[in-house]
Amino acid sequence: MDKMLIGSIINGEERKEESRNSMEVVSPYNEETVAELKLATKKDLDDAVNSSFDIYHSTMKVMPANERADILRKAADLLEERVEDFATIICKEAGKPIKYSRGEVKRSIQVLRFSSELAKNIFGEVIPMDAAVGGENRMGLVKRIPLGVVGAITPFNFPLNLSLHKIAPALAAGNTIVFKPAEKTPVSAYMFVKLLEEAGLPKGVINLLIGTGEEIGAPLVKQDKVHKISFTGSLNVGKKIRETAGFKKVTLELGSNSPNILFEDADLGYAVKELVKGAFAFSGQVCISAQRIYVQRNIYDKFLEDYINQTNALKIGDPLNEETDIGPMINEESAERAKLWIDDAVEKGAKVEAGGDRKGTILSPTIMTNVDENMKIIAQEVFAPIVSVIPFDTEDEVIHYSNNSIYGLQAGVFTKDIDRALRVADKLEMGGVWINEISTYRQDNHPYGGVKQSGIGKEGVKYAIEDMTEMKFIGIKLNNQD
């Protein structure tokens, strides 16, 4: 593949002069150079923010909802025509197996279509002012208006879909966007910004900044003309954003160590199959990846045996191969860190039941037992193909285990007892609970976001739009004369 040369796109113009500092995007599987990046400067950041601010007031603020909807629908149609192009580049830049990359692109099309539909359904309300003493002959209107400039800072693991969970609702609501994708996976982001222009989005409505989090992301958060920051990434960075964002709105999608609970009446065959996918898809680099599996003791041995067998059957290799289940982690540093966590747990008494081997960026899918809650593989977000299987006896016990975490993003509960399912779901300290589904499952139209240190705010197109608008009240004193 010919190496691409790409730079930031500001007000429709690409900035990739030879004199700029460079960085390469390298395939984590074979170290092939996918693209050369010409990095953004402080001036580029200022220009991008000023452009977004000016275009918001001159263009986007007055663009009718039907036009915003048309652009988003056209973008979805164009993306649908180019599924393979986008899937291939995600596969190469992120190392995500092609079948999962293809699924990500198809979900992204859906996000655009949801956003197109909802752009025309942003409703206000009429308030009965005479409900208050003295409110006679008055009318109260509430309308939703866009915020202005949204700063979108996105991660490497779903470089297209998680970007669209910020970009598409922002456009639907009538905002402009300064978009800073992960420097490890900016090529799909670049391609999508170009696609939006082709779909008819005016220049400057979205400005793309290609650079590092330290050089571009952190200063973006402090910009006065940016009215909201939507960030998906690590807990440490999320904390810094909240500290420096001032009065801006923030949505923070941060870490997790999702529990999945199997009661004795669970459909074991279904749960095993789904939890293999839930723990190891994209090498576990999914924030709602199944990291902890709690299994009621009388089905524990059977579950573990079947789980090990199906995990060992996964195909590891080239992510471009249609048969590949497990490809590389995003870089060797991440794989090394995960292997150290495995070794640390083993030294403290844990047992590796499957996997545990590392070769370069590839860490084989790893099942661990005899774990302790103080081990990193349980207490922290592992973000790797590592899962711990833990027996439990009682409902109260497993609820305590599940909630004993700084995180609370999403969980899975497997049981045929609907009373127990709903009872446990209510007691789990999570932003979302799936019943008879893995924690890793996400649709693009439900509220998605965590409690505790898993984040602030909600995504899911409808809910993101609500948080990317502001309520404005308009009161009218009516003339009561005949």
Side-chain angles (χ1 to χ4, degrees), residues 5-60:
L5 177 65
I6 64 176
S8 301
I9 300 174
I10 299 170
N11 207 27
E13 300 297 325
E14 189 171 351
R15 299 188 177 184
K16 54 181 181 181
E17 301 89 339
E18 187 62 35
S19 59
R20 289 174 174 269
N21 291 335
S22 298
M23 177 184 290
E24 288 189 335
V25 176
V26 178
S27 164
Y29 177 69
N30 58 15
E31 298 186 349
E32 174 189 275
T33 299
V34 179
E36 180 182 350
L37 312 177
K38 290 298 183 179
L39 300 180
T41 64
K42 175 63 166 60
K43 181 179 184 304
D44 296 326
L45 171 60
D46 292 339
D47 289 349
V49 171
N50 288 329
S51 169
S52 293
F53 186 83
D54 293 343
I55 294 295
Y56 168 70
H57 286 281
S58 67
T59 303
M60 204 61 178

Side-chain angles (χ1 to χ4, degrees), residues 452-464:
K452 299 192 277 191
Q453 294 186 42
S454 281
I456 299 169
K458 290 287 187 283
E459 289 191 338
V461 178
K462 172 188 173 183
Y463 309 94

Side-chain angles (χ1 to χ4, degrees), residues 240-256:
K240 291 176 183 176
I241 288 173
R242 193 176 187 194
E243 289 168 0
T244 58
F247 285 99
K248 296 177 180 66
K249 280 191 169 188
V250 293
T251 296
L252 304 176
E253 299 292 345
L254 308 176
S256 181

Side-chain angles (χ1 to χ4, degrees), residues 71-304:
I71 291 168
L72 287 163
R73 186 176 62 253
K74 177 64 172 174
D77 293 344
L78 289 171
L79 187 56
E80 191 168 43
E81 294 170 5
R82 300 170 197 177
V83 169
E84 288 304 308
D85 292 343
F86 275 85
T88 299
I89 206 66
I90 291 170
C91 182
K92 289 182 175 180
E93 67 178 346
K96 180 177 291 187
I98 188 67
K99 59 186 176 183
Y100 295 124
S101 296
R102 202 174 282 127
E104 177 177 347
V105 181
K106 291 178 179 178
R107 279 185 61 194
S108 300
I109 295 165
Q110 187 168 247
V111 171
L112 285 164
R113 290 191 170 136
F114 278 136
S115 299
S116 174
E117 294 164 10
L118 288 168
K120 296 184 286 187
N121 290 277
I122 301 174
F123 296 109
E125 62 179 326
V126 177
I127 296 177
M129 302 302 291
D130 60 351
V133 175
E136 297 83 355
N137 300 312
R138 286 173 173 81
M139 177 179 287
L141 307 176
V142 176
K143 61 187 297 186
R144 284 200 168 269
I145 60 171
L147 296 176
V149 181
V150 172
I153 305 174
T154 60
F156 74 82
N157 58 334
F158 287 84
L160 186 62
N161 194 47
L162 289 185
S163 295
L164 280 177
H165 267 289
K166 304 178 189 308
I167 293 168
L171 295 176
N175 298 290
T176 56
I177 303 146
V178 179
F179 176 28
K180 192 277 174 201
E183 61 268 26
K184 296 183 182 74
T185 55
V187 186
S188 52
Y190 170 88
M191 290 168 58
F192 185 72
V193 170
K194 289 285 191 180
L195 184 146
L196 279 174
E197 292 177 355
E198 189 178 343
L201 191 70
K203 292 180 179 180
V205 172
I206 183 167
N207 288 305
L208 173 71
L209 291 170
I210 292 179
T212 66
E214 183 178 353
E215 295 294 325
I216 298 299
L220 173 62
V221 175
K222 299 176 184 178
Q223 289 274 339
D224 290 337
K225 291 180 179 178
V226 174
H227 305 95
K228 176 182 172 70
I229 295 292
S230 183
F231 169 79
T232 299
S234 73
L235 174 58
N236 288 338
V237 175
K239 286 179 177 178
K240 291 176 183 176
I241 288 173
R242 193 176 187 194
E243 289 168 0
T244 58
F247 285 99
K248 296 177 180 66
K249 280 191 169 188
V250 293
T251 296
L252 304 176
E253 299 292 345
L254 308 176
S256 181
N257 56 1
S258 295
N260 288 260
I261 302 169
L262 276 72
F263 287 98
E264 59 188 356
D265 62 344
D267 182 338
L268 207 57
Y270 170 76
V272 168
K273 178 184 175 183
E274 292 301 302
L275 284 166
V276 169
K277 180 173 65 177
F280 303 125
F282 192 32
S283 295
Q285 297 170 121
V286 182
C287 51
I288 44 176
S289 178
Q291 185 172 331
R292 299 177 286 160
I293 302 176
Y294 296 102
V295 185
Q296 202 152 28
R297 198 172 298 274
N298 57 349
I299 61 168
Y300 176 84
D301 290 340
K302 175 60 175 169
F303 172 85
L304 185 60

